[in-house]
Amino acid sequence: MASIGLKVIRRLFGAAELVSPRLAGRAAFELFRRTPSQRSLTSGERRAIGNASGFMAEARHHRIKTLRGCVAMHEFRPDGASRGTVLVIHGWRSRTEYMQALIEGYREAGMRVISLDLPGHGGSLGRALDMAKAVEAATLAGQWFGPFEAIVGHSFGGAVAVNAAAGTVKGFEPLSAKRLVLVAAPDSMPKLFDDFGRYLHLGPKTQQAISGQVQRVTGTPISQFVGSRLLMRLATPTLVIHASDDREVSASEAKAMAGAGGHVRLFWADGLGHRRILSSAKVVAEAVGFLEAARELDTVH
């Protein structure tokens, strides 16, 4: 956000805090969930999408209707018989193309991969994304292509994976998965909104009104959207992959989730930041190996 535009927005929210915190909170929430326009793609992003065109041509593409739009889902089948299905969910300002290395890793291991383009991203329609919309899309993926051996999420997609599995959003049953793989994922949605509020210099009443908007959309208090607490309750075997130098999601978030219990394992991918972590061969090997080890254990038992 340009510095001049940011200053103007901060002043507007400062004035709105005095006049109508409720309306200010709604406006801030709408700003938070606004997704980038396709026209705003950087040259690097356009190049990455172009480079992945051959990869995307190998998929079967599906468009699934949601309550207020439709989402794109991409099905990547292995060369031989499928050994199960993995759901892959990208992060904010991302898309299936950026998950290529992980998708190919699972596919080469004999897994069928369903990659979801979240609303307002990739091939999916819309200009707004929130947890309710994301969980709805993940639930639809489960209805069409599940059950899943694992749900694999990067960044916001990791938070979606946990909340979909936990059934946090009212109206949607928990999404069944044997394993979770969370790459550079945030632990606390309340913290995320607090950081957003500090960035915009929002007043306490406006910040409280944002929490009300989250509950309006999801049917659940914002305090419930904490991954570490949900993982503790779920007890689903989980692999958390994070880089200590991640500047977008603090390493403390990964540590918090790793503290949810012995069923959560933490793998440090230091030096890979928030986005390069997706293309790392060692990260792919760890993520794929987590499922293969689980399958071998199940076979023994």
Side-chain angles (χ1 to χ4, degrees), residues 228-277:
S228 52
R229 296 176 193 165
L230 297 174
L231 289 173
M232 194 179 301
R233 190 185 82 208
L234 279 173
T236 302
T238 300
L239 174 63
V240 174
I241 302 176
H242 215 97
S244 59
D245 60 321
D246 190 326
R247 295 183 179 180
E248 294 188 38
V249 179
S250 170
S252 62
E253 305 274 297
K255 292 177 182 177
M257 288 189 287
H263 61 290
V264 182
R265 184 157 66 85
L266 175 58
F267 177 78
W268 289 112
D270 292 346
L272 294 173
H274 189 71
R275 299 189 184 277
R276 286 182 295 114
I277 198 169

Side-chain angles (χ1 to χ4, degrees), residues 8 34 99:
V8 172
R34 184 74 166 171
M99 307 296 286

